[in-house]
Amino acid sequence: MQNKRIFLIGFMGAGKTTLGKRLANKSGLPFVDVDQKIEAYFQLSIQSIFEKYGEAFFRKEESKMLEKLIEEFPQAILSVGGGLPCYNNNIELMNLSGTTCYLHRPAKELFHRLKNSKENRPLLTGKSDAELLQYIEVKLLEREVFYSKAKIIVYRDQQDVSSLMKRLELTAIV
């Protein structure tokens, strides 16, 4: 069987982990959450890594983990953190190593999905609702240049398991 590596990318709260687990279950491929692998490796939450070592350290370690997981999993559904594609040429590495799939969601929808989990996400901690919405709009604009390099862009109304299975050609695997 050929290599079949799918990278789900997009802003935090876009549904990468939830959809990734469903796709993995339906396709029979393993599911890998890059953030969970980082937390297990450091035995710290992402929030704690940010607080203890800073974002620059985290981004470097995140890139190292991505490389390690690409080596370890020739076939998998990988959910990556929202910022991962935007640093250290990671989007190019993912495009060379598999199929990147950008789960596109509008800023207002992301706001509604994230406003109750602000304290669990290091880049959102302490923001008021107005600051959160502004942050999402600005970051989404900055990151769009990286996200749009994905091989497949899936808009909200196409983000169901059956449609994605077809778009990602996962039906050939099962």
Side-chain angles (χ1 to χ4, degrees):
M1 189 189 292
Q2 65 177 8
N3 283 2
K4 194 66 174 180
R5 215 180 276 111
I6 310 290
F7 298 95
L8 298 179
I9 69 170
F11 204 79
M12 66 181 101
K16 301 178 298 284
T17 299
T18 302
L19 203 50
K21 286 178 181 176
R22 289 181 186 153
L23 281 171
N25 186 41
K26 193 93 165 155
S27 69
L29 291 171
F31 173 73
V32 180
D33 184 303
V34 176
D35 282 351
Q36 286 178 356
K37 291 290 188 179
I38 292 168
E39 288 179 335
Y41 180 79
F42 284 98
Q43 297 185 332
L44 291 169
S45 68
I46 298 296
Q47 175 93 11
S48 297
I49 296 168
F50 264 77
E51 288 169 2
K52 193 169 182 176
Y53 302 107
E55 186 176 4
F57 173 86
F58 174 77
R59 295 301 177 194
K60 186 176 151 199
E61 293 303 317
E62 187 181 45
S63 295
K64 281 194 223 171
M65 183 60 73
L66 175 65
E67 290 172 16
K68 180 179 182 277
L69 294 172
I70 286 171
E71 252 182 64
E72 191 177 331
F73 293 95
Q75 299 175 355
I77 308 285
L78 292 100
S79 169
V80 308
L84 186 140
C86 311
Y87 295 89
N88 306 316
N89 296 316
N90 288 333
I91 188 67
E92 287 81 5
L93 175 61
M94 290 185 288
N95 276 331
L96 288 171
S97 304
T99 302
T100 46
C101 178
Y102 169 30
L103 301 183
H104 183 280
R105 298 273 179 155
K108 285 209 163 116
E109 183 180 338
L110 292 167
F111 165 77
H112 289 292
R113 294 174 71 126
L114 291 169
K115 73 178 183 175
N116 294 322
S117 66
K118 290 187 287 195
E119 301 314 314
N120 302 331
R121 298 181 182 264
L123 296 174
L124 306 183
T125 303
K127 290 185 176 7
S128 69
D129 284 359
E131 290 169 329
L132 175 62
L133 180 58
Q134 183 180 14
Y135 175 83
I136 292 169
E137 289 170 342
V138 168
K139 277 295 180 194
L140 206 46
L141 204 56
E142 288 172 6
R143 291 178 175 183
E144 190 66 31
V145 68
F146 299 99
Y147 292 164
S148 65
K149 291 180 181 180
K151 292 179 181 175
I152 297 173
I153 297 175
V154 183
Y155 295 92
R156 194 202 180 302
D157 60 338
Q158 305 161 322
Q159 292 181 23
D160 63 273
V161 175
S162 301
S163 299
L164 267 176
M165 294 275 295
K166 287 180 187 133
R167 295 257 336 250
L168 296 169
E169 299 174 5
L170 287 175
T171 46
I173 288 177
V174 225

